[in-house]
Amino acid sequence: MAQRYSVAVDPDSKEGQFLDFLKLQDEESSRLSLLEQFTQRFPKHPAVSWAYEQLQLAAMEAGQWDRALTFGEKLVQINPNDIDTAQLNIKAAESKGDATTVKLWTDCMMVIAQRVLESPPPKDPEALEEWKKRTALAAQYAAQDEYAIYKKALQSGDPRAQIKLLDELLKKNPDTAYLPPALVIYLNAYRATGDSRNALLTAERILTIDRSSEDALYTVAEGNLQRGASDKVLGYSAKLIEVMNTKKKPAIVRQEDWDKKKAYYTGTAYWMIGNTYINQNRFGQADSALRAALPLLRHSHQSSAAILFYLGWANYKMENFPEAVRFYKQCMAIGSQYQEQAIKNLTVIRNE
């Protein structure tokens, strides 16, 4: 590793005389011992950074990981933006097998990288070149660190752990390149934990970035259905149907899983439209939407029962009694919360 610090010292000063004596040493051990003495005797001198750098590199070469970490820590204390030394400290901790210290310096590295990225470019041409190198390394490390956190969240099967990891990611960098896919993980994690409020807020945020996100469209349509915001339900549900009919299967998703998702999201969108039209007494439009939903949600007894019940109601209100009877009979055959009311409604129709 190239040396980053130079020796600028008055040769007639005590420090200069000490370093001249150091240069006369033939044995490496004597030289290193004197270097360490220099840091202790002249801790405020500018050349002390150079001394700590020499000591750390020698310790790294000798596999003396504790000493390497000690000297590296001193060097970073003096030069808070020294990203190269922080990188060496991580390497020393990894070589030592000390996971706690690796984590400590990894976190420290991220702070340093952020400081470096935020530092203004110097006017001096030589310093500018060094700044560019440090900035490039900081950007590379920040991206690697962010990806590591994002990947961990992606692979985690625990929704609460995913939320915690992504909170950490956005705390490090709110504008991370992984924000769009991270928001989708957030959304599904909030849905899995039953946090409908944050799920809705996240879905709305996703739609400002990607208007074709089926997960966000589904969540926003469902959230507005619960709020009774009819126009939004109709708009988002119609958009969800359009997206599911035109969007290509993502490469990482199995065809079988995509087909199931497509049927469920499309069917639910039609169901939400039909439900909204029922509440608006627009029974003809409700009938069309609910008929479209029924074959797509047949696999769910509860969904089928709800659709059949409201199809019976829509057709009854349109005085299409044979169809109303047919749908209520099918609803009666399914054990659900609608079963008892379907029997009562069927009795009313027969009496009329």
Side-chain angles (χ1 to χ4, degrees), residues 1-255:
M1 188 173 179
Q3 295 180 21
R4 302 177 306 287
Y5 298 100
S6 58
V7 182
V9 62
D10 179 0
D12 295 326
S13 65
K14 290 181 181 179
E15 294 89 340
Q17 292 171 8
F18 191 99
L19 290 176
D20 280 340
F21 176 65
L22 185 150
K23 291 175 186 176
L24 296 173
Q25 305 304 309
D26 293 328
E27 291 186 9
E28 180 70 3
S29 58
S30 300
R31 179 176 168 276
L32 293 174
S33 177
L34 287 171
L35 269 174
E36 203 163 350
Q37 289 179 44
F38 181 84
T39 64
Q40 294 164 0
R41 290 182 61 180
F42 312 107
K44 302 295 184 183
H45 194 275
V48 80
S49 294
W50 169 82
Y52 277 128
E53 179 188 34
Q54 301 299 307
L55 288 166
Q56 185 186 33
L57 292 175
M60 290 288 291
E61 230 177 275
Q64 298 170 347
W65 312 122
D66 285 323
R67 283 172 61 79
L69 286 164
T70 299
F71 297 135
E73 185 176 349
K74 296 282 187 183
L75 197 48
V76 172
Q77 285 173 355
I78 300 168
N79 307 279
N81 286 2
D82 189 344
I83 195 167
D84 296 295
T85 296
Q87 198 173 31
L88 273 181
N89 291 345
I90 294 172
K91 184 177 179 182
E94 287 174 341
S95 300
K96 184 184 173 185
D98 185 344
T100 303
T101 306
V102 170
K103 175 70 167 60
L104 186 150
W105 277 106
T106 300
D107 292 342
C108 183
M109 179 72 155
M110 189 59 203
V111 174
I112 293 172
Q114 197 61 41
R115 274 205 303 261
V116 170
L117 290 170
E118 291 171 358
S119 65
K123 294 180 180 179
D124 178 64
E126 191 173 325
L128 179 62
E129 285 305 309
E130 184 59 33
W131 176 86
K132 286 179 179 178
K133 290 177 184 177
R134 287 202 318 272
T135 302
L137 178 59
Q140 182 183 12
Y141 182 81
Q144 289 174 347
D145 186 55
E146 289 167 23
Y147 176 70
I149 298 171
Y150 165 72
K151 186 178 179 182
K152 194 173 180 181
L154 180 66
Q155 294 175 341
S156 173
D158 181 352
R160 297 186 191 282
Q162 289 179 315
I163 292 168
K164 188 175 179 181
L165 285 163
L166 294 176
D167 284 346
E168 181 186 345
L169 173 62
L170 296 190
K171 185 179 179 181
K172 287 178 181 290
N173 183 7
D175 300 316
T176 176
Y178 302 102
L179 180 61
L183 287 174
V184 175
I185 298 173
Y186 258 131
L187 172 58
N188 291 323
Y190 284 135
R191 283 167 58 178
T193 56
D195 188 345
S196 56
R197 178 181 173 277
N198 275 318
L200 181 59
L201 290 172
T202 304
E204 289 172 341
R205 187 177 178 187
I206 290 171
L207 291 177
T208 64
I209 302 170
D210 178 11
R211 291 288 299 171
S212 67
S213 169
E214 68 275 10
D215 295 313
L217 287 167
Y218 173 89
T219 303
V220 173
E222 187 179 52
N224 281 288
L225 181 68
Q226 293 168 358
R227 291 176 172 181
S230 302
D231 290 345
K232 289 185 177 180
V233 175
L234 295 175
Y236 284 121
S237 296
K239 179 64 176 177
L240 178 56
I241 293 167
E242 177 193 332
V243 167
M244 298 313 294
N245 285 335
T246 57
K247 194 169 187 176
K248 293 182 179 179
K249 178 187 77 66
I252 61 172
V253 178
R254 294 188 309 164
Q255 186 65 51

Side-chain angles (χ1 to χ4, degrees), residues 324-341:
V325 169
R326 183 170 74 87
F327 287 127
Y328 278 135
K329 280 185 174 180
Q330 290 181 47
C331 182
M332 285 168 48
I334 302 172
S336 73
Q337 60 179 326
Y338 299 97
Q339 191 175 42
E340 185 178 345
Q341 190 60 48

